[in-house]
């Protein structure tokens, strides 16, 4: 027998399609467990209707959404599948092709599998139109460490989601359900952790080269929302994938490591997009961004050569430098309370940033010459010098941008610019009452450039 589980919340528009796809299966020996997860629409009425028509449907009703203390038999169904039977999950807005049960069972029995996946057709939630299909060209059977190493990147997509699969009772019992460890991802990714946990338990996996599952793509899905804990979810998924390979293969090959960096890159791009577009305060956004950039895997991914995986260096740089571009777009709302986090973030992108731009001057640079900040973060000191020079043409009263211009000239080994900015710095020190400081530096320059007319003029200005 196959035990199916569907959790439905405010799913009145899609639930009938999901239920009908199960009832129309060519394999009829199943028991369908459906939960109304505290819905406020007619989801409960639909479940009651179908349960009254078909005894294979077992209905559950939660008063509160995600109240796991209600209906524990539903939530922990995977732990109680009889030996020799199978477990399956179907989302309330998805569907299975009529032959899903029969063909998947045949595939598993022929290849002595305890867990198997199939391909998926993606449908637009608004129009119902097919957006594309993810399916392998041929069946893949992975039942040895060598095969797992060889096929990991190919089957990784099938390891990421709980749907589109059949599980033996032993595989299903390995899932985390109502009781999860402290490290379990809170925002999203629990499905991936669970599938890998099941595969680790049975030590084999198969992918059927046919699309028998229909997935509805919706902007309301958790991958499009900022949920607390998302800043850690991508890290956890990377770590658990590494642990999965270490246990199933005994090693993480360079190729699989590079592949996981690419997976992390794509996940990070989505997370940064969701974070920057969220309704969080700027301070919270900065805190989450700083945390993400502090992870070793983030630094490793940005520095790794992933061209063998089709990810070009310019793509890595674009994502990396999109971060300061977004930060600079927030310059108008940046305040002193944000300065420490901004400095820390910029310093993670360029370790020399804090030594170039003191914290008490950062807001000035963000507002007066943001392009200079961008260039500094990108460690393009030539561009930074050009942008800063344009700003200094306005004869600013502040001394600190002149000091930065002088420092950049030294880094670029531009002697002419270094002398020019040193003279300008001396003039500004004198005019701002820093005579003692200017006197010492002027004497040093007079020894280096005896008879220089500009220095002679500065000496006269100093002695007035």
């Amino acid at each position: 027998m196959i035990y199916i589980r569907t959790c439905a919340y405010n799913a009145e528009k899609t639930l009938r399609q999901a239920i009908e796809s199960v009832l129309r299966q060519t394999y009829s020996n199943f028991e369908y467990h459906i939960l109304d997860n505290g819905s406020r629409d007619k989801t409960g009425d639909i479940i009651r209707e179908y349960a009254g028509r078909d005894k294979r449907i077992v209905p559950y009703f939660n008063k509160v959404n995600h109240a796991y203390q209600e209906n524990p038999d539903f939530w922990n169904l995977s732990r109680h599948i009889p030996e020799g039977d199978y477990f399956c999950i179907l989302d309330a807005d998805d569907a299975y092709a009529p032959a899903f049960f029969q063909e998947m069972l045949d595939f598993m029995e022929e290849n002595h599998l305890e867990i198997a996946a199939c391909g998926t057709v993606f449908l637009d939630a608004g129009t119902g139109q097919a957006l594309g299909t993810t399916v392998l060209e041929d069946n893949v059977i992975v039942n040895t460490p060598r095969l797992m190493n060889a096929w990991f990147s190919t089957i990784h997509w099938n390891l990421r989601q709980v749907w589109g699969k059949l599980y033996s009772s032993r595989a299903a019992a390995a899932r985390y359900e109502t009781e999860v460890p402290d490290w379990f991802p809170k925002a999203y990714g629990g499905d991936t952790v669970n599938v890998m946990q099941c595969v680790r338990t049975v030590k084999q996996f198969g992918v059927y080269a046919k699309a028998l599952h229909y997935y509805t793509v919706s902007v309301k899905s958790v991958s499009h929302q900022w949920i607390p804990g998302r800043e850690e979810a991508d890290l956890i998924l990377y770590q658990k994938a590494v642990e999965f390979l270490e246990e199933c293969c005994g090693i993480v090959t360079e190729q699989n490591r590079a592949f996981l960096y690419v997976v992390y890159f794509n996940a990070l791009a989505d997370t940064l997009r969701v974070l920057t577009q969220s309704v969080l305060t700027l301070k919270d956004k900065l805190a989450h961004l700083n945390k993400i950039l502090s992870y070793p895997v983030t630094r490793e991914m940005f520095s790794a050569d992933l061209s063998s995986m089709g990810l070009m260096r310019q793509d890595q740089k674009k994502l990396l430098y999109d971060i300061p571009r977004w930060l600079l777009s927030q310059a108008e709302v940046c305040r002193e309370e944000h300065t420490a986090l901004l400095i820390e973030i910029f310093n993670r992108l360029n370790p020399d940033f804090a030594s170039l731009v003191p914290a008490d001057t950062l807001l000035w640079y963000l507002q007066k010459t943001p392009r200079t900040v961008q260039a500094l973060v990108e460690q393009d000191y030539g561009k930074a010098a050009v942008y800063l020079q344009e700003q200094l043409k306005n004869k600013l009263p502040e001394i600190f941008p002149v000091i930065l211009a002088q420092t950049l000239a030294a880094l670029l080994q531009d002697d002419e610019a270094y002398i020019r900015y040193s003279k300008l710095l001396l003039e500004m020190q004198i005019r701002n009452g820093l005579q003692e400081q200017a006197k010492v530096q002027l004497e040093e320059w007079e020894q280096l450039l005896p008879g220089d007319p500009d220095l002679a003029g500065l000496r006269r200005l100093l002695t007035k």
Side-chain angles (χ1 to χ4, degrees):
M1 178 179 285
I2 298 175
Y3 293 80
I4 312 105
R5 190 175 76 184
T6 291
C7 177
Y9 177 69
N10 291 343
E12 63 179 6
K13 295 180 179 179
T14 61
L15 184 57
R16 289 184 183 278
Q17 173 182 284
I19 295 175
E20 290 289 348
S21 78
V22 174
L23 298 182
R24 285 197 289 262
Q25 291 292 309
T26 57
Y27 181 89
S28 60
N29 186 22
F30 61 79
E31 190 173 279
Y32 192 9
H33 295 244
I34 314 177
L35 169 74
D36 171 15
N37 195 12
S39 301
R40 297 178 181 178
D41 62 3
K42 296 181 180 179
T43 295
D45 295 336
I46 294 171
I47 294 174
R48 290 184 183 90
E49 174 191 334
Y50 277 97
R53 288 163 41 184
D54 196 315
K55 294 183 178 179
R56 293 174 299 180
I57 293 178
V58 182
Y60 303 82
F61 302 93
N62 257 24
K63 295 179 180 179
V64 179
N65 183 246
H66 283 128
Y68 297 112
Q69 69 275 14
E70 297 186 66
N71 297 299
D73 290 345
F74 173 85
W75 297 112
N76 293 300
L77 176 63
S78 62
R79 300 293 181 90
H80 304 290
I81 305 301
E83 186 176 351
D85 290 342
Y86 295 85
F87 175 70
C88 172
I89 286 179
L90 178 63
D91 285 350
D93 56 352
D94 292 353
Y96 283 127
F100 173 78
F101 289 164
Q102 188 62 66
E103 292 192 32
M104 291 295 284
L105 281 171
D106 292 344
F107 173 64
M108 293 177 73
E109 290 175 0
E110 289 171 7
N111 295 285
H112 309 289
L113 298 172
E114 291 194 63
I115 178 171
C118 68
T120 290
V121 178
F122 294 89
L123 305 175
D124 183 87
T127 65
Q129 296 290 321
L131 299 174
T133 301
T134 299
V135 62
L136 299 184
E137 293 184 2
D138 298 296
N139 296 342
V140 171
I141 308 299
V142 176
N143 52 17
T144 67
R146 180 183 64 82
L147 288 173
M148 179 60 75
N149 254 329
W151 286 102
F152 178 72
S153 61
T154 301
I155 66 171
H156 180 264
W157 182 85
N158 299 97
L159 293 169
R160 298 189 66 169
Q161 46 276 327
V162 69
W163 31 258
K165 295 176 177 62
L166 277 187
Y167 304 78
S168 71
S169 58
R170 187 164 74 102
R175 286 175 47 84
Y176 296 105
E177 295 291 6
T178 56
E179 296 182 5
V180 298
D182 292 339
W183 56 259
F184 199 81
K186 298 175 179 62
Y188 75 104
D191 281 2
T192 303
V193 169
N194 266 327
V195 174
M196 289 188 177
Q197 180 69 7
C198 294
V199 175
R200 287 166 70 172
T201 299
V202 299
K203 295 294 189 292
Q204 39 95 335
F205 185 56
V207 181
Y208 185 47
K210 192 171 181 179
L212 298 172
H213 171 252
Y214 297 89
Y215 178 85
T216 302
V217 179
S218 172
V219 294
K220 295 181 180 180
S221 67
V222 296
S223 61
H224 295 277
Q225 304 171 36
W226 184 264
I227 298 174
R230 175 154 186 162
E231 74 280 6
E232 297 177 341
D234 299 327
L235 171 66
I236 294 169
L237 291 177
Y238 170 82
Q239 292 172 332
K240 293 304 167 184
V242 169
E243 290 177 13
F244 173 84
L245 286 170
E246 289 174 340
E247 180 170 333
C248 293
C249 307
I251 188 175
V252 182
T253 63
E254 289 186 12
Q255 181 178 4
N256 283 336
R257 178 79 67 175
F259 172 76
L260 288 179
Y261 283 149
V262 174
V263 172
Y264 184 77
F265 171 90
N266 292 324
L268 185 58
D270 286 339
T271 292
L272 292 176
R273 173 183 53 80
V274 174
L275 173 60
T276 55
Q277 296 177 2
S278 71
V279 297
L280 294 174
T281 66
L282 178 58
K283 190 171 184 178
D284 285 341
K285 290 180 182 180
L286 295 176
H288 291 314
L289 179 56
N290 188 42
K291 188 174 183 179
I292 291 169
L293 292 175
S294 74
Y295 297 145
V297 63
T298 304
R299 298 192 295 272
E300 293 166 9
M301 179 273 293
F302 278 126
S303 62
D305 180 0
L306 303 177
S307 56
S308 64
M309 291 291 158
L311 184 61
M312 298 297 101
R313 186 62 187 154
Q314 58 264 32
D315 297 320
Q316 291 168 276
K317 285 187 176 181
K318 182 182 183 304
L319 178 59
L320 183 64
Y321 296 146
D322 277 347
I323 295 171
R325 289 189 188 101
W326 172 76
L327 291 173
L328 295 175
S329 74
Q330 307 298 304
E332 291 186 2
V333 294
C334 287
R335 300 292 182 266
E336 288 186 10
E337 63 177 305
H338 304 125
T339 301
L341 277 169
L342 285 168
I343 287 288
E344 197 164 350
I345 290 169
F346 289 144
N347 220 51
R348 292 191 189 282
L349 301 173
N350 176 3
D352 295 326
F353 187 88
S355 63
L356 296 171
V357 179
D360 60 353
T361 68
L362 178 60
L363 292 182
W364 183 93
Y365 283 105
L366 289 176
Q367 294 165 5
K368 297 291 186 179
T369 177
R371 292 189 303 171
T372 300
V373 177
Q374 180 74 37
L376 290 174
V377 171
E378 295 180 10
Q379 301 183 53
D380 190 337
Y381 297 143
K383 275 188 179 180
V386 171
Y387 296 145
L388 194 54
Q389 182 180 9
E390 293 175 0
Q391 192 67 30
L392 290 174
K393 288 178 181 178
N394 298 325
K395 296 184 178 179
L396 302 170
E398 293 86 2
I399 292 179
F400 56 82
V402 181
I403 297 174
L404 175 59
Q406 181 191 47
T407 302
L408 292 175
L411 290 171
L412 295 168
Q413 298 182 334
D414 185 342
D415 294 340
E416 182 181 344
Y418 184 79
I419 293 172
R420 183 173 70 253
Y421 288 126
S422 296
K423 291 177 179 179
L424 178 57
L425 179 59
L426 280 169
E427 180 183 352
M428 295 187 72
Q429 287 173 336
I430 295 170
R431 295 188 185 281
N432 284 274
L434 302 174
Q435 275 76 8
E436 290 301 318
Q437 186 175 343
K439 181 179 178 181
V440 173
Q441 294 182 22
L442 180 57
E443 289 174 353
E444 293 176 355
W445 276 108
E446 287 172 332
Q447 293 178 17
L448 292 170
L449 301 174
D452 184 272
D454 293 329
L455 295 177
L458 289 171
R459 170 62 66 183
R460 290 192 296 271
L461 181 63
L462 180 63
T463 56
K464 277 185 179 181

